[in-house]
Amino acid sequence: MSGNLSQGELAEIGSVCPRLYEAVGWDGGQAPDWDAFRACCHPGALLVPMGSGAAAPVGVETFIAGMEEQRTSGAVGELREVELGHSVQAYGNLANVRSTFLATIDGVERRGVTFAHLVRDGGRWVIVAVAWENESEERPLPGEFI
């Protein structure tokens, strides 16, 4: 569903999650690009990982600090995320993106889904809230999400 947005605007909206995924990744030779990560988000955005099954919203800088702790401590040696597919709904200055991803963490692959709410702010699309959850045996990803 595209409301009154052009195909170019929809493509721009659809490119935000893949840029976010790329920016957060690291390995021994490459650090995350936190400036690119911040550019995908409104400064007041809330990020909500649902790995524990309980919502624990954090701000952008708190999320970055937690990820940096995992990286610099060696708790996670390598992290890569890529988008498998997405769906965009938008109207005017509002958009919702459902993005399915594949994460590789220290060689172990897992899939999940991200739901991101975006707004047009100062002429660019940014995330104001994002929540994600990993696939599990009890909750496999629906076929239409892949």
mmCIF file with all atom_site columns, all heavy atoms in Angstrom, residues 6 9 38 42 47 49 56 60 64 77 79 81-82 92 94 108-109 122 124 127:
data_model
loop_
_atom_site.group_PDB
_atom_site.id
_atom_site.type_symbol
_atom_site.label_atom_id
_atom_site.label_alt_id
_atom_site.label_comp_id
_atom_site.label_asym_id
_atom_site.label_entity_id
_atom_site.label_seq_id
_atom_site.pdbx_PDB_ins_code
_atom_site.Cartn_x
_atom_site.Cartn_y
_atom_site.Cartn_z
_atom_site.occupancy
_atom_site.B_iso_or_equiv
_atom_site.pdbx_formal_charge
_atom_site.auth_seq_id
_atom_site.auth_comp_id
_atom_site.auth_asym_id
_atom_site.auth_atom_id
_atom_site.pdbx_PDB_model_num
ATOM 1   N N   . SER A 1 6   ? 5.385  8.398   -4.180 1.00 0.00 ? 6   SER A N   1
ATOM 2   C CA  . SER A 1 6   ? 5.938  7.926   -5.448 1.00 0.00 ? 6   SER A CA  1
ATOM 3   C C   . SER A 1 6   ? 6.738  6.643   -5.228 1.00 0.00 ? 6   SER A C   1
ATOM 4   O O   . SER A 1 6   ? 7.099  6.300   -4.100 1.00 0.00 ? 6   SER A O   1
ATOM 5   C CB  . SER A 1 6   ? 6.855  8.993   -6.044 1.00 0.00 ? 6   SER A CB  1
ATOM 6   O OG  . SER A 1 6   ? 8.059  9.093   -5.273 1.00 0.00 ? 6   SER A OG  1
ATOM 7   N N   . GLU A 1 9   ? 9.956  7.447   -3.473 1.00 0.00 ? 9   GLU A N   1
ATOM 8   C CA  . GLU A 1 9   ? 9.822  7.617   -2.025 1.00 0.00 ? 9   GLU A CA  1
ATOM 9   C C   . GLU A 1 9   ? 9.677  6.271   -1.325 1.00 0.00 ? 9   GLU A C   1
ATOM 10  O O   . GLU A 1 9   ? 10.268 6.045   -0.264 1.00 0.00 ? 9   GLU A O   1
ATOM 11  C CB  . GLU A 1 9   ? 8.615  8.507   -1.703 1.00 0.00 ? 9   GLU A CB  1
ATOM 12  C CG  . GLU A 1 9   ? 8.820  9.962   -2.083 1.00 0.00 ? 9   GLU A CG  1
ATOM 13  C CD  . GLU A 1 9   ? 7.552  10.769  -1.921 1.00 0.00 ? 9   GLU A CD  1
ATOM 14  O OE1 . GLU A 1 9   ? 6.521  10.396  -2.528 1.00 0.00 ? 9   GLU A OE1 1
ATOM 15  O OE2 . GLU A 1 9   ? 7.588  11.766  -1.188 1.00 0.00 ? 9   GLU A OE2 1
ATOM 16  N N   . ARG A 1 38  ? 23.079 6.079   13.274 1.00 0.00 ? 38  ARG A N   1
ATOM 17  C CA  . ARG A 1 38  ? 22.349 7.248   13.798 1.00 0.00 ? 38  ARG A CA  1
ATOM 18  C C   . ARG A 1 38  ? 21.572 7.954   12.698 1.00 0.00 ? 38  ARG A C   1
ATOM 19  O O   . ARG A 1 38  ? 20.470 8.455   12.941 1.00 0.00 ? 38  ARG A O   1
ATOM 20  C CB  . ARG A 1 38  ? 23.329 8.228   14.441 1.00 0.00 ? 38  ARG A CB  1
ATOM 21  C CG  . ARG A 1 38  ? 23.882 7.775   15.762 1.00 0.00 ? 38  ARG A CG  1
ATOM 22  C CD  . ARG A 1 38  ? 24.872 8.806   16.326 1.00 0.00 ? 38  ARG A CD  1
ATOM 23  N NE  . ARG A 1 38  ? 25.485 8.350   17.543 1.00 0.00 ? 38  ARG A NE  1
ATOM 24  C CZ  . ARG A 1 38  ? 26.711 7.798   17.602 1.00 0.00 ? 38  ARG A CZ  1
ATOM 25  N NH1 . ARG A 1 38  ? 27.454 7.675   16.512 1.00 0.00 ? 38  ARG A NH1 1
ATOM 26  N NH2 . ARG A 1 38  ? 27.189 7.401   18.767 1.00 0.00 ? 38  ARG A NH2 1
ATOM 27  N N   . HIS A 1 42  ? 15.738 8.760   14.110 1.00 0.00 ? 42  HIS A N   1
ATOM 28  C CA  . HIS A 1 42  ? 15.485 10.038  14.762 1.00 0.00 ? 42  HIS A CA  1
ATOM 29  C C   . HIS A 1 42  ? 16.256 10.013  16.088 1.00 0.00 ? 42  HIS A C   1
ATOM 30  O O   . HIS A 1 42  ? 16.345 8.950   16.716 1.00 0.00 ? 42  HIS A O   1
ATOM 31  C CB  . HIS A 1 42  ? 13.984 10.193  15.014 1.00 0.00 ? 42  HIS A CB  1
ATOM 32  C CG  . HIS A 1 42  ? 13.594 11.497  15.578 1.00 0.00 ? 42  HIS A CG  1
ATOM 33  N ND1 . HIS A 1 42  ? 13.687 11.770  16.926 1.00 0.00 ? 42  HIS A ND1 1
ATOM 34  C CD2 . HIS A 1 42  ? 13.121 12.614  14.984 1.00 0.00 ? 42  HIS A CD2 1
ATOM 35  C CE1 . HIS A 1 42  ? 13.282 13.002  17.144 1.00 0.00 ? 42  HIS A CE1 1
ATOM 36  N NE2 . HIS A 1 42  ? 12.931 13.543  15.982 1.00 0.00 ? 42  HIS A NE2 1
ATOM 37  N N   . LEU A 1 47  ? 14.306 1.775   20.401 1.00 0.00 ? 47  LEU A N   1
ATOM 38  C CA  . LEU A 1 47  ? 14.653 0.482   19.829 1.00 0.00 ? 47  LEU A CA  1
ATOM 39  C C   . LEU A 1 47  ? 14.228 -0.584  20.833 1.00 0.00 ? 47  LEU A C   1
ATOM 40  O O   . LEU A 1 47  ? 14.538 -0.458  22.025 1.00 0.00 ? 47  LEU A O   1
ATOM 41  C CB  . LEU A 1 47  ? 16.153 0.405   19.553 1.00 0.00 ? 47  LEU A CB  1
ATOM 42  C CG  . LEU A 1 47  ? 16.645 1.350   18.445 1.00 0.00 ? 47  LEU A CG  1
ATOM 43  C CD1 . LEU A 1 47  ? 16.901 2.742   18.976 1.00 0.00 ? 47  LEU A CD1 1
ATOM 44  C CD2 . LEU A 1 47  ? 17.885 0.795   17.812 1.00 0.00 ? 47  LEU A CD2 1
ATOM 45  N N   . PRO A 1 49  ? 14.365 -4.560  21.345 1.00 0.00 ? 49  PRO A N   1
ATOM 46  C CA  . PRO A 1 49  ? 14.653 -5.965  21.064 1.00 0.00 ? 49  PRO A CA  1
ATOM 47  C C   . PRO A 1 49  ? 13.707 -6.854  21.872 1.00 0.00 ? 49  PRO A C   1
ATOM 48  O O   . PRO A 1 49  ? 13.471 -6.589  23.048 1.00 0.00 ? 49  PRO A O   1
ATOM 49  C CB  . PRO A 1 49  ? 16.100 -6.132  21.537 1.00 0.00 ? 49  PRO A CB  1
ATOM 50  C CG  . PRO A 1 49  ? 16.308 -5.050  22.543 1.00 0.00 ? 49  PRO A CG  1
ATOM 51  C CD  . PRO A 1 49  ? 15.374 -3.927  22.181 1.00 0.00 ? 49  PRO A CD  1
ATOM 52  N N   . ALA A 1 56  ? 11.797 -4.101  26.199 1.00 0.00 ? 56  ALA A N   1
ATOM 53  C CA  . ALA A 1 56  ? 12.781 -3.333  26.966 1.00 0.00 ? 56  ALA A CA  1
ATOM 54  C C   . ALA A 1 56  ? 13.282 -2.195  26.076 1.00 0.00 ? 56  ALA A C   1
ATOM 55  O O   . ALA A 1 56  ? 14.402 -2.236  25.573 1.00 0.00 ? 56  ALA A O   1
ATOM 56  C CB  . ALA A 1 56  ? 13.930 -4.230  27.415 1.00 0.00 ? 56  ALA A CB  1
ATOM 57  N N   . VAL A 1 60  ? 18.669 5.333   21.160 1.00 0.00 ? 60  VAL A N   1
ATOM 58  C CA  . VAL A 1 60  ? 19.718 5.051   20.181 1.00 0.00 ? 60  VAL A CA  1
ATOM 59  C C   . VAL A 1 60  ? 21.083 4.957   20.854 1.00 0.00 ? 60  VAL A C   1
ATOM 60  O O   . VAL A 1 60  ? 21.832 4.000   20.640 1.00 0.00 ? 60  VAL A O   1
ATOM 61  C CB  . VAL A 1 60  ? 19.720 6.119   19.066 1.00 0.00 ? 60  VAL A CB  1
ATOM 62  C CG1 . VAL A 1 60  ? 20.911 5.952   18.137 1.00 0.00 ? 60  VAL A CG1 1
ATOM 63  C CG2 . VAL A 1 60  ? 18.409 6.070   18.281 1.00 0.00 ? 60  VAL A CG2 1
ATOM 64  N N   . ILE A 1 64  ? 23.604 1.702   21.151 1.00 0.00 ? 64  ILE A N   1
ATOM 65  C CA  . ILE A 1 64  ? 24.971 1.717   20.626 1.00 0.00 ? 64  ILE A CA  1
ATOM 66  C C   . ILE A 1 64  ? 25.967 1.343   21.718 1.00 0.00 ? 64  ILE A C   1
ATOM 67  O O   . ILE A 1 64  ? 26.870 0.531   21.491 1.00 0.00 ? 64  ILE A O   1
ATOM 68  C CB  . ILE A 1 64  ? 25.297 3.094   20.005 1.00 0.00 ? 64  ILE A CB  1
ATOM 69  C CG1 . ILE A 1 64  ? 24.503 3.273   18.700 1.00 0.00 ? 64  ILE A CG1 1
ATOM 70  C CG2 . ILE A 1 64  ? 26.800 3.246   19.758 1.00 0.00 ? 64  ILE A CG2 1
ATOM 71  C CD1 . ILE A 1 64  ? 24.588 4.661   18.099 1.00 0.00 ? 64  ILE A CD1 1
ATOM 72  N N   . GLY A 1 77  ? 32.226 -11.639 18.482 1.00 0.00 ? 77  GLY A N   1
ATOM 73  C CA  . GLY A 1 77  ? 33.371 -11.352 17.630 1.00 0.00 ? 77  GLY A CA  1
ATOM 74  C C   . GLY A 1 77  ? 33.004 -10.880 16.246 1.00 0.00 ? 77  GLY A C   1
ATOM 75  O O   . GLY A 1 77  ? 33.738 -10.119 15.622 1.00 0.00 ? 77  GLY A O   1
ATOM 76  N N   . LEU A 1 79  ? 29.388 -9.857  13.750 1.00 0.00 ? 79  LEU A N   1
ATOM 77  C CA  . LEU A 1 79  ? 27.945 -9.677  13.570 1.00 0.00 ? 79  LEU A CA  1
ATOM 78  C C   . LEU A 1 79  ? 27.704 -9.140  12.167 1.00 0.00 ? 79  LEU A C   1
ATOM 79  O O   . LEU A 1 79  ? 28.310 -8.131  11.780 1.00 0.00 ? 79  LEU A O   1
ATOM 80  C CB  . LEU A 1 79  ? 27.387 -8.696  14.602 1.00 0.00 ? 79  LEU A CB  1
ATOM 81  C CG  . LEU A 1 79  ? 25.945 -8.218  14.387 1.00 0.00 ? 79  LEU A CG  1
ATOM 82  C CD1 . LEU A 1 79  ? 24.968 -9.368  14.558 1.00 0.00 ? 79  LEU A CD1 1
ATOM 83  C CD2 . LEU A 1 79  ? 25.600 -7.084  15.324 1.00 0.00 ? 79  LEU A CD2 1
ATOM 84  N N   . GLU A 1 81  ? 24.249 -8.552  9.433  1.00 0.00 ? 81  GLU A N   1
ATOM 85  C CA  . GLU A 1 81  ? 22.813 -8.656  9.184  1.00 0.00 ? 81  GLU A CA  1
ATOM 86  C C   . GLU A 1 81  ? 22.530 -8.209  7.761  1.00 0.00 ? 81  GLU A C   1
ATOM 87  O O   . GLU A 1 81  ? 23.089 -7.217  7.298  1.00 0.00 ? 81  GLU A O   1
ATOM 88  C CB  . GLU A 1 81  ? 22.020 -7.777  10.155 1.00 0.00 ? 81  GLU A CB  1
ATOM 89  C CG  . GLU A 1 81  ? 22.073 -8.238  11.583 1.00 0.00 ? 81  GLU A CG  1
ATOM 90  C CD  . GLU A 1 81  ? 21.272 -7.367  12.528 1.00 0.00 ? 81  GLU A CD  1
ATOM 91  O OE1 . GLU A 1 81  ? 21.074 -6.166  12.241 1.00 0.00 ? 81  GLU A OE1 1
ATOM 92  O OE2 . GLU A 1 81  ? 20.834 -7.898  13.553 1.00 0.00 ? 81  GLU A OE2 1
ATOM 93  N N   . VAL A 1 82  ? 21.654 -8.950  7.089  1.00 0.00 ? 82  VAL A N   1
ATOM 94  C CA  . VAL A 1 82  ? 21.219 -8.589  5.746  1.00 0.00 ? 82  VAL A CA  1
ATOM 95  C C   . VAL A 1 82  ? 19.704 -8.753  5.670  1.00 0.00 ? 82  VAL A C   1
ATOM 96  O O   . VAL A 1 82  ? 19.125 -9.590  6.357  1.00 0.00 ? 82  VAL A O   1
ATOM 97  C CB  . VAL A 1 82  ? 21.896 -9.435  4.641  1.00 0.00 ? 82  VAL A CB  1
ATOM 98  C CG1 . VAL A 1 82  ? 23.392 -9.192  4.600  1.00 0.00 ? 82  VAL A CG1 1
ATOM 99  C CG2 . VAL A 1 82  ? 21.609 -10.910 4.826  1.00 0.00 ? 82  VAL A CG2 1
ATOM 100 N N   . GLY A 1 92  ? 1.502  9.935   3.266  1.00 0.00 ? 92  GLY A N   1
ATOM 101 C CA  . GLY A 1 92  ? 1.981  11.266  3.631  1.00 0.00 ? 92  GLY A CA  1
ATOM 102 C C   . GLY A 1 92  ? 3.376  11.214  4.226  1.00 0.00 ? 92  GLY A C   1
ATOM 103 O O   . GLY A 1 92  ? 4.327  10.810  3.559  1.00 0.00 ? 92  GLY A O   1
ATOM 104 N N   . LEU A 1 94  ? 4.168  9.404   6.993  1.00 0.00 ? 94  LEU A N   1
ATOM 105 C CA  . LEU A 1 94  ? 4.229  8.247   7.878  1.00 0.00 ? 94  LEU A CA  1
ATOM 106 C C   . LEU A 1 94  ? 4.501  6.985   7.070  1.00 0.00 ? 94  LEU A C   1
ATOM 107 O O   . LEU A 1 94  ? 3.990  6.838   5.964  1.00 0.00 ? 94  LEU A O   1
ATOM 108 C CB  . LEU A 1 94  ? 2.897  8.064   8.611  1.00 0.00 ? 94  LEU A CB  1
ATOM 109 C CG  . LEU A 1 94  ? 2.334  9.261   9.353  1.00 0.00 ? 94  LEU A CG  1
ATOM 110 C CD1 . LEU A 1 94  ? 0.937  8.933   9.857  1.00 0.00 ? 94  LEU A CD1 1
ATOM 111 C CD2 . LEU A 1 94  ? 3.252  9.644   10.491 1.00 0.00 ? 94  LEU A CD2 1
ATOM 112 N N   . VAL A 1 108 ? 26.941 -18.270 13.482 1.00 0.00 ? 108 VAL A N   1
ATOM 113 C CA  . VAL A 1 108 ? 25.630 -18.891 13.652 1.00 0.00 ? 108 VAL A CA  1
ATOM 114 C C   . VAL A 1 108 ? 24.571 -17.995 12.994 1.00 0.00 ? 108 VAL A C   1
ATOM 115 O O   . VAL A 1 108 ? 24.468 -16.810 13.315 1.00 0.00 ? 108 VAL A O   1
ATOM 116 C CB  . VAL A 1 108 ? 25.300 -19.095 15.152 1.00 0.00 ? 108 VAL A CB  1
ATOM 117 C CG1 . VAL A 1 108 ? 23.903 -19.676 15.322 1.00 0.00 ? 108 VAL A CG1 1
ATOM 118 C CG2 . VAL A 1 108 ? 26.352 -19.970 15.809 1.00 0.00 ? 108 VAL A CG2 1
ATOM 119 N N   . GLU A 1 109 ? 23.809 -18.586 12.071 1.00 0.00 ? 109 GLU A N   1
ATOM 120 C CA  . GLU A 1 109 ? 22.768 -17.827 11.371 1.00 0.00 ? 109 GLU A CA  1
ATOM 121 C C   . GLU A 1 109 ? 21.431 -17.951 12.083 1.00 0.00 ? 109 GLU A C   1
ATOM 122 O O   . GLU A 1 109 ? 21.087 -19.019 12.605 1.00 0.00 ? 109 GLU A O   1
ATOM 123 C CB  . GLU A 1 109 ? 22.609 -18.330 9.939  1.00 0.00 ? 109 GLU A CB  1
ATOM 124 C CG  . GLU A 1 109 ? 23.791 -18.029 9.065  1.00 0.00 ? 109 GLU A CG  1
ATOM 125 C CD  . GLU A 1 109 ? 23.563 -18.440 7.620  1.00 0.00 ? 109 GLU A CD  1
ATOM 126 O OE1 . GLU A 1 109 ? 22.625 -19.230 7.336  1.00 0.00 ? 109 GLU A OE1 1
ATOM 127 O OE2 . GLU A 1 109 ? 24.329 -17.974 6.764  1.00 0.00 ? 109 GLU A OE2 1
ATOM 128 N N   . GLY A 1 122 ? 12.461 16.617  8.220  1.00 0.00 ? 122 GLY A N   1
ATOM 129 C CA  . GLY A 1 122 ? 13.434 17.459  7.524  1.00 0.00 ? 122 GLY A CA  1
ATOM 130 C C   . GLY A 1 122 ? 13.735 16.966  6.125  1.00 0.00 ? 122 GLY A C   1
ATOM 131 O O   . GLY A 1 122 ? 14.862 17.111  5.644  1.00 0.00 ? 122 GLY A O   1
ATOM 132 N N   . ARG A 1 124 ? 13.857 13.827  5.065  1.00 0.00 ? 124 ARG A N   1
ATOM 133 C CA  . ARG A 1 124 ? 14.384 12.459  4.955  1.00 0.00 ? 124 ARG A CA  1
ATOM 134 C C   . ARG A 1 124 ? 13.584 11.526  5.850  1.00 0.00 ? 124 ARG A C   1
ATOM 135 O O   . ARG A 1 124 ? 12.986 11.950  6.840  1.00 0.00 ? 124 ARG A O   1
ATOM 136 C CB  . ARG A 1 124 ? 15.868 12.402  5.285  1.00 0.00 ? 124 ARG A CB  1
ATOM 137 C CG  . ARG A 1 124 ? 16.208 12.784  6.690  1.00 0.00 ? 124 ARG A CG  1
ATOM 138 C CD  . ARG A 1 124 ? 17.734 12.893  6.918  1.00 0.00 ? 124 ARG A CD  1
ATOM 139 N NE  . ARG A 1 124 ? 18.000 13.053  8.327  1.00 0.00 ? 124 ARG A NE  1
ATOM 140 C CZ  . ARG A 1 124 ? 18.300 12.073  9.161  1.00 0.00 ? 124 ARG A CZ  1
ATOM 141 N NH1 . ARG A 1 124 ? 18.405 10.847  8.703  1.00 0.00 ? 124 ARG A NH1 1
ATOM 142 N NH2 . ARG A 1 124 ? 18.493 12.304  10.439 1.00 0.00 ? 124 ARG A NH2 1
ATOM 143 N N   . ILE A 1 127 ? 13.716 6.402   11.307 1.00 0.00 ? 127 ILE A N   1
ATOM 144 C CA  . ILE A 1 127 ? 13.010 5.522   12.226 1.00 0.00 ? 127 ILE A CA  1
ATOM 145 C C   . ILE A 1 127 ? 12.710 6.276   13.520 1.00 0.00 ? 127 ILE A C   1
ATOM 146 O O   . ILE A 1 127 ? 13.608 6.891   14.089 1.00 0.00 ? 127 ILE A O   1
ATOM 147 C CB  . ILE A 1 127 ? 13.856 4.276   12.531 1.00 0.00 ? 127 ILE A CB  1
ATOM 148 C CG1 . ILE A 1 127 ? 14.012 3.423   11.272 1.00 0.00 ? 127 ILE A CG1 1
ATOM 149 C CG2 . ILE A 1 127 ? 13.258 3.464   13.684 1.00 0.00 ? 127 ILE A CG2 1
ATOM 150 C CD1 . ILE A 1 127 ? 15.039 2.311   11.393 1.00 0.00 ? 127 ILE A CD1 1
#
